[in-house]
Amino acid sequence: MAALLHLLNQGFDVFSLALIATLVAFGFAVQYVETRTVRPRRNYLRAALVSAALALVLVAMPLSIGSGLIVGLMLWGGFSAAGLVWAVYYERSEPL
């Protein structure tokens, strides 16, 4: 939705094409992880996909508008580490 609004307001440019390509690639990655992988690899790939999405929101977006980067990097690192800890703990505690 945000990509469509950006295209309607700004027209086509390099940022718009990169945004659309990233969203399409992310959609294919999510579909692949959910349909073609099995546990325990699926949970680790889910954590990696969430980390990549958080990197786009917390690091790439502020970087593209020229905003501060330190807080976004700290949040991204913390959330990504928490997701990895959750995936490791879940795989060790839940039976296959």
Side-chain angles (χ1 to χ4, degrees):
M1 186 68 169
L4 180 62
L5 289 175
H6 180 77
L7 283 176
L8 290 175
N9 290 334
Q10 304 292 328
F12 285 100
D13 58 348
V14 175
F15 181 75
S16 300
L17 296 176
L19 177 64
I20 291 170
T22 303
L23 289 174
V24 169
F26 190 74
F28 279 124
V30 169
Q31 180 184 8
Y32 179 80
V33 166
E34 293 300 322
T35 59
R36 304 273 174 112
T37 59
V38 294
R39 272 190 61 204
R41 184 180 300 156
R42 180 182 296 163
N43 286 325
Y44 294 118
L45 289 175
R46 283 177 181 164
L49 285 172
V50 169
S51 177
L54 282 173
L56 287 174
V57 172
L58 296 174
V59 177
M61 282 178 52
L63 190 61
S64 70
I65 62 173
S67 180
L69 194 61
I70 299 299
V71 174
L73 281 172
M74 290 183 345
L75 285 171
W76 174 68
F79 284 136
S80 296
L84 182 62
V85 167
W86 171 83
V88 169
Y89 176 76
Y90 181 80
E91 287 304 323
R92 288 185 178 188
S93 64
E94 292 294 318
L96 289 173

